[in-house]
Amino acid sequence: MQPAVPLLSAGFAVGALIGVAAVAGYLAMTEPQPPASSDDDRVAATVAAPPIPNALGVTAVTDPASDAPPAESGVSASDAATSRAVQSLETQVTDLRVRLASVEQALNRVLSASAATARAIDETRPPAPRTAEERRGALVAAGVEPGLAEDLVLKEAQRSLERLSLRDQAIREGWVGNAQYREELARINADARSLREEIGDDTYDRYLYATGADNRVKVDSVIPGSAAEIAGLQAGDLIESYADERLFDFSELRSKTTEGEYGEQVPVQVRRAGRVIETWVPRGPLGVTLNSARVGPAP
């Protein structure tokens, strides 16, 4: 028979262990639990926690709540993606700058060529006379007698001075632009004849050309279905006369189309590719866009 004391001691030890376990379990259930931590909290805790050696004596820092590998060189995946996007945008901007520079160079070449062409055209056009002496010389070169040329220049200068004096007086006395001013201006111009009337159409044509002025009305375009298209006018035609009256400026043509009886047939003479063509149009809007040109007078 076994002694009773050892059995009692063993039973007491087992009971004590069971009691300790029960108390520990109760305390674990009743003790307040900390709130669930977020991913950022776990990462921060992992980084801040000191390394703990494992059973083999190897220390390691791991995040038990995440299977993702630790970030390399302190750069996250989102930062790397942002960096790649920025680099792509910089490359595109550089490419656009190169293309823009190429376009600017091409545009500069075109503008330079246009400017050179304009200068070449202007070099063939003599400058307009600016002094009385140059005006007299241009008139004589156009075929005007020297004595008549001198007289025309002096008359024009005299009328210009009279108009200036009239305007100055009217401004000082406060009646510029009213009926009195218009009457005085009409008196000055009453006996004045235009240069064209003084020297005639042919000489006036030569004078315009010699002084570098435009002397022809040019058709830029013709509106489909217009009177001009029906009459056969084409872009590039030079309209030399309308209703048997010479034309040297497109404002003269516009004025002529509003004269006379609307719709009456009037002759129109145009020059096309060196040939003179005559056609008829009804008086009124032609349906064309006009410009001016400088063309040498016919011999």
Side-chain angles (χ1 to χ4, degrees):
M1 184 175 180
Q2 298 293 334
V5 175
L7 290 176
L8 291 174
S9 299
F12 178 80
V14 171
L17 290 174
I18 293 173
V20 171
V23 172
Y26 174 78
L27 292 176
M29 290 186 295
T30 58
E31 184 179 0
Q33 300 295 321
S37 59
S38 62
D39 293 341
D40 294 339
D41 295 335
R42 288 195 295 270
V43 171
T46 302
V47 174
I52 302 174
N54 58 16
L56 299 178
V58 178
T59 57
V61 177
T62 59
D63 182 5
S66 174
D67 294 331
E72 297 179 1
S73 302
V75 178
S76 66
S78 60
D79 292 340
T82 302
S83 177
R84 289 193 296 270
V86 171
Q87 292 177 357
S88 176
L89 288 175
E90 290 177 348
T91 302
Q92 294 179 25
V93 170
T94 301
D95 182 60
L96 288 175
R97 287 176 176 172
V98 172
R99 293 184 181 182
L100 179 60
S102 178
V103 171
E104 289 178 346
Q105 291 176 0
L107 180 61
N108 289 334
R109 287 195 295 269
V110 172
L111 293 177
S112 298
S114 300
T117 302
R119 286 194 298 270
I121 294 174
D122 290 340
E123 288 173 358
T124 65
R125 183 188 293 261
R130 291 174 294 180
T131 65
E133 186 62 33
E134 290 176 351
R135 187 75 178 272
R136 284 190 292 269
L139 287 169
V140 172
V144 179
E145 293 293 332
L148 177 58
E150 179 74 20
D151 184 57
L152 292 174
V153 172
L154 289 177
K155 285 182 178 180
E156 182 182 16
Q158 183 179 1
R159 285 193 296 269
S160 296
L161 289 175
E162 289 179 357
R163 285 191 288 265
L164 288 174
S165 297
L166 173 64
R167 181 173 178 79
D168 180 78
Q169 180 184 359
I171 291 175
R172 292 176 184 275
E173 298 176 0
W175 47 275
V176 63
N178 63 14
Q180 180 182 355
Y181 178 78
R182 291 192 293 270
E183 290 175 2
E184 292 292 330
L185 186 61
R187 179 186 58 79
I188 294 174
N189 296 329
D191 61 344
R193 298 180 63 196
S194 67
L195 179 61
R196 177 178 174 179
E197 292 174 324
E198 293 281 3
I199 62 179
D201 285 344
D202 291 339
T203 305
Y204 183 68
D205 188 19
R206 293 193 297 269
Y207 171 76
L208 290 176
Y209 183 78
T211 56
D214 293 328
N215 58 343
R216 290 293 182 274
V217 179
K218 182 180 179 181
V219 177
D220 269 352
S221 64
V222 179
I223 300 175
S226 64
E229 185 189 46
I230 295 173
L233 296 183
Q234 300 178 8
D237 285 347
L238 301 175
I239 303 178
E240 295 187 341
S241 69
Y242 179 93
D244 295 323
E245 295 187 36
R246 292 284 296 276
L247 299 174
F248 300 102
D249 185 81
F250 56 77
S251 62
E252 296 176 344
L253 176 58
R254 289 172 177 167
S255 176
K256 298 297 181 185
T257 59
T258 60
E259 296 176 358
E261 183 180 352
Y262 177 81
E264 66 172 328
Q265 295 292 319
V266 295
V268 174
Q269 181 176 299
V270 303
R271 187 174 295 272
R272 181 185 302 162
R275 296 173 53 246
V276 176
I277 301 173
E278 187 173 276
T279 185
W280 292 75
V281 297
R283 194 184 288 271
L286 288 175
V288 296
T289 58
L290 301 173
N291 208 330
S292 56
R294 177 173 176 265
V295 178

